[in-house]
Every structure is written in C-alpha cells, then in structure tokens.
Amino acid sequence: MVVFAPYPLGETRVQREAEVLVKHGYEVDVICLRLPGSLPVDQYKGMTIYREKFQFSIGWLKSGLWHKFYSYLFFFFTAAFRLTWLHLKNPYTTIQVHNMPDFLVFCAFIPKLLGAAILLDLHDLMPEFYSGRYNQKKSISARIILLQEKLSCRFADHVITVTEQWRQKLIRRGVSEKKCSVLMNVADENIFHPLPQSCEQSRDKNGFRLIYHGAFVKRNGLDLAIQAVDRVRRDIPGI
C-alpha cells in the first residue's frame, strides 16, 4: 500500500483494506507520510509501516496549489525510492497505490517492469475535486489534471473507485469496463453495530429513514438524491 497520508488513521479506507488483507493471510507493507514523533519503521496489526519524513521551508510554497503540488512531488520520489528498494529485496506480487494524487501510481514503475501487478485506488476523482475546489474547469491546469488521471489509469493493471457513478465517469473517459471496479467505503462491523434496542426504536411504522455518510460536495451528486426524495415521497410515506 502506498498512500500520501499518515498511517494508521490518516485514511480509513486504506486501513480497512490493509487489515482485511492481513486477516486473510496476506503480508502487507504500507508506505506513508511520517508525522513528528512517529517511528520511521513500525509494526501495526500484523503489517509493516514505512513512514517517509516530509518537511520543507520554502516560503512561497507554504500555501495554495503550489504547496500541494510540491508536497505530492516530494512524496512521489521518496515513496518511489522506498518502494523500489523494498521490491528488490523481497518482490511484491501486488502494489496498491491510493490517490490523491493519481500520478503517485508511477512510483511503482520499476516494480511493474519486474512483474508486480499495480492497482490504482481512486478515493476521489481529481478532475472533479480540482474543479470543485478551485472553480476551474477549462484551464490549462484542469486539462493537465485530467491528462494525468488518464495516464495513471492506463498505467495501472486495474482501477478501483468508490461508487458506480465515478466508475461510469472513468469509463466515459476511456478506462475499460473490465479494468475498473467499485469497492465502496463501508463501516467496520467490529466497531459500528446496531444494539438490539436501537433496532426496535428504528422501526418507525410511519417513517422511512435514509442516511448519507459522505462529504457535502456537489461532485458526490447530493442534488440528485434530493430530487429523488421529492419524486418518491408520495410513494414512500414519511421518507
């Protein structure tokens, strides 16, 4: 696993996937960011964590888009070096790279040449994320971000994303249907489970409850959900 975030708790999706793999007998290494006070190499729940130290002091890069790009680029090279070194010592069968950024998948270039299968896990779609955050859809930077997504998906052996809506967008942008699949974010049933009394209380005879647990951003399609509730409210009383 390669992720531009601290581990554990930096990206819950990565942690869930890694722990499930360990549970099913796989050996898992995680390459991630190193926070102050954390160990550079650590063991956690049966997996080995390699944390890459990251710091900089260039004043004009401390905020904004350039800061983010510099952060991505710095981690890309450190993760690529670590991943290649680990692969040469003990070859991986599969390397799973998590966005953002998408181009982080290219840090597995040499392992791919040596036979490792490469998975790209898209937690969010960078073109939509960028246009929503910076309100730029037709700028040169927006086109570059779209291009790096296409190249990243082409480089990977398989692409995973979190919803069917995003899978269909990727397919429309040229990713093969067979090469792209959905793995939704779901709660850990060892932590989140209904209590018996809660089940009884939730059985409201006159209501139907819908729950959304994602971010309130336009690219997630919440406007469609609101329109859908308006269309079905006469057929489902109390929704």
Side-chain angles (χ1 to χ4, degrees):
M1 298 280 185
V2 182
V3 58
F4 180 78
Y7 189 94
L9 301 179
E11 281 282 1
T12 309
R13 177 178 176 87
V14 183
Q15 186 173 344
R16 288 276 284 129
E17 292 176 351
E19 291 179 5
V20 166
L21 288 170
V22 171
K23 182 180 178 181
H24 285 79
Y26 291 90
E27 295 181 22
V28 179
D29 290 347
V30 179
I31 299 175
C32 62
L33 290 179
R34 181 183 174 188
L35 295 178
S38 59
L39 296 173
V41 181
D42 199 5
Q43 297 289 326
Y44 180 81
K45 292 189 176 181
M47 66 196 75
T48 304
I49 305 172
Y50 298 91
R51 298 187 177 99
E52 302 302 323
K53 189 175 182 180
F54 176 74
Q55 62 182 16
F56 57 90
S57 57
I58 304 177
W60 63 276
L61 284 176
K62 287 187 177 180
S63 62
L65 190 61
W66 281 108
H67 164 255
K68 181 63 70 175
F69 176 72
Y70 177 79
S71 302
Y72 286 160
L73 204 59
F74 189 92
F75 181 75
F76 171 85
F77 286 111
T78 57
F81 180 82
R82 173 80 72 171
L83 182 62
T84 302
W85 178 70
L86 291 172
H87 184 77
L88 293 175
K89 285 179 58 180
N90 187 18
Y92 294 112
T93 55
T94 306
I95 297 171
Q96 184 169 348
V97 182
H98 300 261
N99 84 331
M100 298 179 181
D102 303 336
F103 66 81
L104 186 58
V105 74
F106 290 103
C107 76
F109 181 78
I110 293 178
K112 181 179 174 70
L113 290 180
L114 297 176
I118 311 300
L119 300 177
L120 176 59
D121 195 327
L122 299 177
H123 299 197
D124 206 336
L125 299 187
M126 278 194 72
E128 281 72 16
F129 178 87
Y130 177 77
S131 62
R133 176 68 63 88
Y134 298 101
N135 196 28
Q136 297 185 34
K137 295 183 178 180
K138 297 183 179 180
S139 64
I140 294 177
S141 56
R143 294 175 183 175
I144 292 174
I145 289 172
L146 181 60
L147 176 63
Q148 64 88 41
E149 180 194 75
K150 290 182 177 180
L151 295 176
S152 300
C153 290
R154 186 177 300 175
F155 174 79
D157 294 296
H158 197 82
V159 177
I160 304 170
T161 190
V162 295
T163 67
E164 182 61 29
Q165 174 193 10
W166 287 354
R167 177 178 178 269
Q168 291 302 324
K169 281 195 174 185
L170 291 169
I171 292 171
R172 288 196 295 271
R173 292 205 281 247
V175 180
S176 169
E177 290 189 37
K178 295 180 179 180
K179 189 178 178 178
C180 187
S181 54
V182 174
L183 182 61
M184 296 182 69
N185 292 325
V186 295
D188 186 346
E189 295 179 352
N190 294 319
I191 302 174
F192 300 97
H193 49 86
L195 299 175
Q197 60 267 30
S198 299
C199 294
E200 294 297 327
Q201 292 171 359
S202 66
R203 292 174 185 171
D204 185 352
K205 272 68 175 178
N206 300 315
F208 184 86
R209 185 174 301 171
L210 298 176
I211 298 174
Y212 172 73
H213 60 85
F216 282 85
V217 290
K218 185 176 181 180
R219 64 182 181 277
N220 284 358
L222 290 177
D223 54 329
L224 298 179
I226 294 171
Q227 293 175 40
V229 169
D230 180 57
R231 294 184 65 173
V232 303
R233 60 190 173 90
R234 296 175 183 81
D235 300 320
I236 307 177
I239 191 170

